[in-house]
Amino acid sequence: MSVEPHSTTALHTEGHFVIPSTGEKRLSLKLGSSFFLFGLINNVLYVIILSAALDLVPPSTPKGIIAFCNIAPALIVKLGWPYFLKGRIRYARRIVACCTLSFIGMLVVAFHESLYSRLLGICLASFSSGLGEMTFLQLSTTYSRSVGGRSVGYFASGTGAAGIVGAFMWWELRGLGVSTGVGISAVLPFILPLAYFFLLPRPAAFMHQSSSTSYTLVPADDLETEIDDDLSAQDDVESRVEPKVTVRLSAADKWRLVKPMLLKYMLPLFCVYTLEYTINQGIAPTLLFPVPSHGLLSKIIHSTRDYYPLWQLVYQTTVFFSRSSISLGLKTLPAHLLPAPAIIQFVILLLLVFESAVGLLPEDREAGSIFLIFILISIEGVCGGLAYVNVFYCINQEQPDPASTHNPDVIKQEREFKIGSIGFADSSGILLASILAVPTEMELCRAQVARGKYLCQGL
């Protein structure tokens, strides 16, 4: 069954594209816009739910339960789909399913006031978000490594922008109430299939050597066909050479691919997400101060409850800039520096715990404490964003495993599996953080009450 690599594989590894300059710019713009929208819309509901945590549950309910329900279903997806499902990925069906699940989940959150109903709706949206993130990252591997690397950068930038858009949207919509605010956001997932069918160019469009700059959009009228045949450049060429042969990775094949990535990629990503989400869900809700009466902050902070959304907005803004580093043309982190963001975040976590429990600065210097927290959370966001985009970029750029055959279908499925399997690391880190966040928030609040600071009890 072994087949020698085709010339298209050489194009993939060497990154040669014979495309007219005007056509290349047009394709790059459409590619970047598509993947940016995929990242933005897929993650924006996740951010809205986290930003709205204080408004979705009663004051006595730890906010970590929102984070738990917002990540546990996504973890199940990222564990199940790449590891247990075999064969081709049908991207069209997945994307339509993600859109539908997100829409239903947000409607449940919007129009049901009971805690358990809202948690169910959050779980549906989380399931969709996890499946969507994995799917779009896998979709980037259907392109050559040069184009696929850019696709990962654009997607990561979109996920970073989702943080700003989601936090800002809820900042503006929260005044309308949960039902109206969440109901308005429920229509956003419909952008995903629209971008997929009407904006995203085929991978083959980047490999045409003709002078034509036109390309064919992904068909939208037949979701039951194997649209991923059209999306794979390798498949386009291979189909002209010999009949298709069903290829499926075995459990042994997947374990062989996963082993080298455990310490190199998964552990750094797991640590980064555990630390930053422990900060965001367990420590940030306790970083409270009296409402300022003058200055710039007085125009932003109108009640004690406004501090938590503010910290989320600061975090998401810095995440956006750092996740956009590759799409902005900045250099990627070397593989040996991938653990660095986690180390820095650990130091930040210790400082913020001390600030919440004891106070780094005297109580009469609240402005200095607020500024210090602003700086620390900004650095936290930069570290988190750099870890995310660089890990997935490195995986996208990896060469085929030497132990694999030279069948393009095998190489294609191996690339899809490798980038899809990594999501288990960040989701498990978020899940662990959501478990740690509940007792962390409660203990920090007790410590504040013990020293005469009662603001956390009023949330």
Side-chain angles (χ1 to χ4, degrees):
M1 180 176 168
S2 177
V3 181
E4 291 299 319
H6 296 287
S7 60
T8 55
T9 305
L11 288 172
H12 278 209
T13 59
E14 297 175 10
H16 297 309
F17 301 98
V18 184
I19 304 176
S21 58
T22 56
E24 183 179 7
K25 291 179 181 178
R26 185 179 303 155
L27 288 175
S28 296
L29 178 60
K30 291 182 179 292
L31 179 84
S33 300
S34 299
F35 274 92
F36 183 85
L37 285 173
F38 292 154
L40 172 65
I41 302 304
N42 186 73
N43 281 36
V44 72
L45 298 184
Y46 175 84
V47 176
I48 288 175
I49 289 172
L50 288 182
S51 299
L54 290 177
D55 302 289
L56 292 176
V57 298
S60 59
T61 304
K63 313 311 171 289
I65 194 172
I66 295 293
F68 180 86
C69 293
N70 210 16
I71 195 58
L75 175 61
I76 294 173
V77 170
K78 293 177 181 180
L79 177 63
W81 251 257
Y83 288 95
F84 296 106
L85 295 188
K86 300 179 180 179
R88 290 183 178 278
I89 297 175
R90 289 168 171 79
Y91 291 100
R93 297 180 186 179
R94 278 199 190 181
I95 293 170
V96 171
C98 289
C99 172
T100 304
L101 283 175
S102 293
F103 177 69
I104 294 174
M106 296 305 282
L107 288 184
V108 171
V109 174
F111 298 109
H112 290 77
E113 295 185 359
S114 71
L115 175 62
Y116 293 109
S117 295
R118 285 184 172 174
L119 294 180
L120 174 62
I122 292 172
C123 286
L124 290 176
S126 169
F127 188 94
S128 170
S129 177
L131 181 60
E133 181 181 29
M134 182 181 65
T135 299
F136 294 125
L137 286 169
Q138 289 176 321
L139 181 60
S140 73
T141 67
T142 64
Y143 295 83
S144 69
R145 283 179 177 80
S146 175
V147 179
R150 285 184 289 160
S151 300
V152 170
Y154 292 131
F155 178 79
S157 181
T159 61
I164 300 176
V165 173
F168 180 76
M169 279 187 63
W170 190 249
W171 185 278
E172 295 296 325
L173 292 175
R174 64 198 295 254
L176 301 177
V178 172
S179 296
T180 303
V182 177
I184 291 174
S185 65
V187 303
L188 295 175
F190 289 99
I191 297 175
L192 293 176
L194 292 176
Y196 178 77
F197 292 125
F198 301 110
L199 185 61
L200 181 69
R202 298 181 186 182
F206 292 89
M207 303 174 66
H208 291 331
Q209 301 186 24
S210 65
S211 59
S212 173
T213 62
S214 63
Y215 67 95
T216 305
L217 292 170
V218 180
D221 56 347
D222 189 4
L223 299 181
E224 299 302 319
T225 60
E226 294 184 358
I227 296 179
D228 42 306
D229 282 345
D230 293 327
L231 287 174
S232 172
Q234 297 99 320
D235 289 351
D236 283 349
V237 177
E238 181 68 12
S239 63
R240 305 187 193 115
V241 178
E242 61 182 17
K244 291 287 182 183
V245 178
T246 301
V247 175
R248 294 182 177 180
L249 299 179
S250 65
D253 292 330
K254 293 179 178 181
W255 175 239
R256 170 177 54 83
L257 296 171
V258 164
K259 279 195 300 183
M261 299 192 296
L262 289 174
L263 294 178
K264 186 177 181 181
Y265 298 129
M266 290 189 178
L267 183 59
L269 206 58
F270 170 81
C271 292
V272 162
Y273 274 79
T274 301
L275 292 168
E276 69 181 356
Y277 275 84
T278 300
I279 293 172
N280 294 344
Q281 298 300 314
I283 303 176
T286 68
L287 298 174
L288 306 171
F289 303 91
V291 178
S293 59
H294 61 278
L296 178 61
L297 280 178
S298 64
K299 302 181 183 301
I300 302 174
I301 304 297
H302 303 290
S303 71
T304 305
R305 294 172 65 91
D306 290 336
Y307 279 104
Y308 180 72
L310 176 62
W311 303 142
Q312 290 295 310
L313 182 60
V314 171
Y315 164 77
Q316 297 294 351
T317 301
T318 51
V319 164
F320 166 63
F321 286 113
S322 57
R323 287 195 179 189
S324 301
S325 58
I326 292 179
S327 60
L328 292 174
L330 301 180
K331 291 184 178 180
T332 58
L333 284 178
H336 68 277
L337 289 181
L338 289 178
I343 297 173
I344 297 173
Q345 284 190 339
F346 178 71
V347 175
I348 293 174
L349 181 142
L350 294 179
L351 291 174
L352 290 177
V353 165
F354 191 81
E355 162 60 32
S356 177
V358 180
L360 291 171
L361 297 176
E363 293 185 3
D364 59 348
R365 298 183 61 183
E366 292 173 351
S369 296
I370 294 173
F371 179 75
L372 178 61
I373 293 172
F374 179 89
I375 296 298
L376 291 176
I377 292 180
S378 297
I379 298 174
E380 173 210 353
V382 169
C383 290
L386 287 178
Y388 180 91
V389 67
N390 282 279
V391 164
F392 284 108
Y393 178 85
C394 289
I395 296 171
N396 184 280
Q397 297 300 297
E398 283 197 343
Q399 298 296 322
D401 192 281
S404 66
T405 68
H406 292 295
N407 188 325
D409 280 340
V410 174
I411 296 174
K412 173 180 180 291
Q413 289 192 28
E414 286 185 349
R415 293 187 70 202
E416 290 174 333
F417 168 76
K418 288 172 71 174
I419 202 168
S421 64
I422 291 295
F424 169 71
D426 60 57
S427 294
S428 57
I430 298 174
L431 181 61
L432 175 60
S434 69
I435 297 173
L436 296 175
V438 175
T440 299
E441 179 185 354
M442 296 174 66
E443 289 301 320
L444 289 176
C445 185
R446 290 194 187 102
Q448 291 182 1
V449 172
R451 64 186 177 98
K453 188 176 181 179
Y454 301 97
L455 294 175
C456 62
Q457 292 185 326
L459 294 180

